[in-house]
């Protein structure tokens, strides 16, 4: 396998004292290679978006960090502002979950797409031609006319395509997609995912795909990291994760996913509620919600260790407790 584009190595992110009882991220490690799609899944509040923003150096004000976030071997967390601007314009781009929050509603789409190109010294005529090419690449019909339109003239799915086009403008090596289909209907969701995967295959771009939907991750990702309460609790190749989950939280996410198979059981929600930042239990963060928890689970925090062909942070992962 090619050397990783991205390496997050035991990243811990803490807010200033008094704002949280536990770290937002706690010892998170993952990597993405060129052309690889890596999934990051978990419930809202698990730390997925903070992990993504750390790659661009966009951490909460006053946050304290430990560990490293390396892009092509250079640590993002130690870069100055000029180096971060170069990183965001040339190496790493992000597609946010709400496209309407990513664009200025008063500006035309053409201005949105060409602003960065012109700031990098691209002549206006060439920048416009490049913007047209990008819109065509993401499936926007009549891209020249689209350049003159405002964001409110696009549907949610079409505007997400525009945001993807903008992310690709600098020809990044790594693309971060932070729940890019959350607000879209199923048909539009499939179209946007098809655009992302096609462009990634054509360009050899590494893709970190963030979602709370395991079925969607299965359709896109080569490997999946499952996050809970700021930690990665399981890492596994996609097929193996679905066939043989080793962490009860992963199994719970799979069980609450609706299926169209007529013989499939009805969805079963994960009991309880996610851990808040105000809570810092001494043992496994998932223990209060886990049907397989033992007394030691509430006292001893589990390490992420090899189990089968992947990693799992569960004291009982080797006991065959999951069906």
């Amino acid at each position: 396998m090619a050397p990783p584009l991205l390496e997050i190595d035991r990243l811990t992110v803490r807010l200033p004292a008094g704002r949280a009882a536990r770290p937002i991220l706690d010892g998170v490690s993952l990597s993405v290679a060129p052309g690889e799609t890596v999934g990051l899944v978990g419930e809202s509040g698990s730390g997925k978006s903070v992990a993504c923003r750390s790659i661009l150096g966009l951490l909460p004000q006053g946050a304290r960090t430990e560990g490293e976030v390396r892009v092509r071997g250079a640590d993002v967390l130690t870069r100055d502002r000029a180096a971060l601007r170069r990183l965001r314009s040339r190496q790493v781009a992000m597609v946010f979950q709400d496209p309407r929050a990513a664009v200025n509603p008063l500006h035309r789409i053409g201005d949105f797409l060409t602003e960065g190109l012109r700031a990098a010294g691209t002549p206006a005529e060439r920048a416009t031609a490049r913007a047209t090419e990008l819109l065509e690449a993401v499936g926007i019909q009549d891209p020249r006319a689209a350049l003159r339109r405002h964001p409110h003239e696009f549907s949610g799915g079409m505007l997400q395509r525009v945001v993807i086009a903008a992310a690709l403008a600098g020809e990044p090596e790594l693309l971060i997609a932070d729940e890019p289909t959350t607000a879209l209907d199923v048909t539009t969701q499939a179209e946007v995912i098809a655009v992302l995967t096609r462009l990634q295959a054509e360009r050899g771009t590494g893709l970190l795909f963030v979602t709370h939907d395991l079925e969607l991750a299965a359709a896109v990702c080569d490997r999946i990291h499952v996050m809970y309460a700021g930690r990665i609790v399981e890492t596994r190749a996609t097929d193996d994760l679905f066939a043989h989950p080793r962490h009860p939280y992963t199994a719970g996410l799979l069980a609450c996913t609706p299926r169209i198979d007529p013989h499939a059981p009805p969805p079963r929600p994960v009991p309880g509620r996610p851990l808040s930042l105000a809570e810092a239990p001494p043992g496994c963060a998932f223990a209060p919600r886990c049907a397989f928890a033992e007394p030691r689970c509430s006292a001893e925090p589990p390490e992420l260790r090899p189990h089968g062909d992947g990693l799992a942070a569960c004291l009982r992962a080797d006991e065959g407790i999951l069906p």
Side-chain angles (χ1 to χ4, degrees):
M1 180 180 290
L5 285 171
L6 169 69
E7 297 170 280
I8 299 180
D9 186 9
R10 300 195 64 80
L11 176 64
T12 296
V13 178
R14 291 184 174 88
L15 292 175
R19 292 177 57 185
R22 63 173 178 83
I24 305 176
L25 299 180
D26 188 1
V28 169
S29 297
L30 62 84
S31 64
V32 181
E36 184 182 30
T37 301
V38 174
L40 193 57
V41 305
E43 293 168 297
S44 296
S46 61
K48 306 185 301 297
S49 293
V50 176
C52 290
R53 290 172 181 269
S54 72
I55 302 166
L56 293 167
L58 298 173
L59 289 171
Q61 187 174 11
R64 294 176 290 116
T65 63
E66 299 171 18
E68 295 184 337
V69 179
R70 298 186 294 271
V71 176
R72 285 295 188 192
D75 188 4
V76 172
L77 302 180
T78 61
R79 295 191 184 190
D80 58 25
R81 290 186 177 182
L84 285 174
R85 282 196 298 269
R86 290 193 296 271
L87 171 82
R88 297 164 189 167
S89 63
R90 300 174 187 173
Q91 288 183 287
V92 183
M94 189 163 177
V95 178
F96 296 92
Q97 60 181 285
D98 182 2
R100 299 199 184 280
V103 298
N104 188 326
L106 302 179
H107 290 178
R108 297 180 188 273
I109 293 301
D111 295 330
F112 170 66
L113 289 172
T114 60
E115 181 180 15
L117 295 170
R118 287 186 279 109
T122 305
E125 185 176 341
R126 174 56 192 149
T128 300
R130 174 65 175 150
T132 304
E133 293 169 2
L134 289 167
L135 289 179
E136 186 173 13
V138 298
I140 298 292
Q141 295 184 354
D142 197 358
R144 289 186 177 277
L147 293 176
R148 299 190 293 271
R149 294 161 63 186
H150 287 84
H152 71 269
E153 299 178 76
F154 289 81
S155 67
M158 289 297 105
L159 192 59
Q160 190 63 287
R161 292 173 186 245
V162 171
V163 172
I164 293 171
L168 296 172
E171 299 187 354
E173 297 178 277
L174 175 67
L175 187 62
I176 306 166
D178 185 7
E179 304 212 37
T181 62
T182 295
L184 306 178
D185 62 75
V186 175
T187 301
T188 306
Q189 181 183 92
E191 293 172 352
V192 169
I193 293 301
V195 168
L196 275 172
T197 54
R198 174 176 58 80
L199 293 172
Q200 182 210 16
E202 292 173 356
R203 298 162 186 254
T205 308
L207 177 61
L208 180 60
F209 187 81
V210 182
T211 182
H212 60 272
D213 185 338
L214 270 174
E215 289 289 340
L216 185 58
V220 176
C221 302
D222 303 306
R223 290 185 293 118
I224 294 177
H225 298 267
V226 181
M227 286 195 74
Y228 186 77
R231 299 187 68 198
I232 290 178
V233 298
E234 184 160 11
T235 297
R236 205 165 296 280
T238 301
D239 290 345
D240 191 35
L241 185 86
F242 272 71
H244 305 290
R246 293 297 186 96
H247 197 283
Y249 178 59
T250 308
L253 291 178
L254 291 170
C256 69
T257 302
R259 303 182 184 279
I260 60 174
D261 184 343
H263 303 293
R268 289 181 286 108
V270 180
R273 60 171 178 79
L275 203 69
S276 76
L277 283 173
E279 299 170 288
C284 174
F286 188 64
R289 307 174 69 185
C290 182
F292 307 99
E294 297 180 336
R296 60 177 175 147
C297 298
S298 297
E300 183 181 346
E303 295 292 327
L304 190 64
R305 301 180 184 277
H307 293 284
D309 294 327
L311 305 171
C314 178
L315 298 177
R316 305 190 64 190
D318 284 331
E319 296 181 20
I321 58 175
L322 300 176

